[in-house]
Amino acid sequence: MHLHKYEKYWLLFGGGSLIVFLLITGIMAFHNGSHPPSAKNTINHEKVDQIAPFNKPGVHKVSGKNWDYEIVVLASAFYYNPPELEVPVGSKVKFIATSKDVVHGFEISGTNVNMMLEPGYVSEYVTTVDKAGEYLIVCNEYCGVGHAQMHSMLKVVDKK
């Protein structure tokens, strides 16, 4: 079989590009220690419900921080704990979440909140909830046969 000289050049270019890509990916993953975005916060996922703040999931009013409320969520096989959250409209909220078992998603429909929850990593997101209403929280990472039933609700209510 005879290859034209330009075919050889393109094969060399394609093969060389693949090698460069794999080298860059390898260096980024192993040498530089690439991890999930929140890899600075890790946790023992086997004992997560015994470790603060995940031992008391829910909505917590805070003071002295750049946000008004902390919402702690623990995801596990087709369930978010707590199943329902309520905060006043206009609040600055920090979501703190993790998973006990497999990778789960945490997306609040109609907002900019979208996190991946991985066992052993703590995901955090700060946002302001400035529109009253009910927002469905869904798992947007396939997590098993009960994935479609994994949901929760965020209620943003008028201040009392």
Side-chain angles (χ1 to χ4, degrees), residues 22-88:
L22 291 174
L23 283 172
I24 291 172
T25 303
I27 290 169
M28 292 299 294
F30 298 109
H31 179 66
N32 292 343
S34 289
H35 297 287
S38 63
K40 62 183 178 186
N41 297 330
T42 57
I43 194 167
N44 181 351
H45 71 280
E46 294 174 349
K47 297 180 181 179
V48 70
D49 24 19
Q50 300 168 11
I51 302 169
F54 298 104
N55 59 345
K56 295 179 185 173
V59 180
H60 306 285
K61 177 90 171 129
V62 296
S63 58
K65 298 187 178 180
N66 290 336
W67 49 87
D68 305 315
Y69 291 90
E70 287 183 350
I71 295 181
V72 179
V73 177
L74 184 57
S76 60
F78 324 124
Y79 179 75
Y80 289 114
N81 185 16
E84 190 173 288
L85 307 162
E86 186 175 303
V87 292

Side-chain angles (χ1 to χ4, degrees), residues 33 85 96 99 133 137:
L85 307 162
I96 305 168
S99 169
I137 300 172

Side-chain angles (χ1 to χ4, degrees), residues 7 12 16 23 48 59 61-62 64 73 81 88-89 91 94 97 101 107 114 116 129 132 135 141 143-146 152:
E7 287 179 305
L12 287 173
L23 283 172
V48 70
V59 180
K61 177 90 171 129
V62 296
V73 177
N81 185 16
V89 69
S91 302
K94 180 176 186 178
D101 46 20
E107 178 182 0
N114 187 359
M116 182 183 286
V129 289
Y135 298 90
E141 295 286 336
C143 55
V145 294
S152 184

Side-chain angles (χ1 to χ4, degrees), residues 14 20-21 27 35 52 60 68 95 120 151 158:
V20 168
F21 171 75
I27 290 169
H35 297 287
H60 306 285
D68 305 315
F95 292 92
H151 56 83
D158 291 321

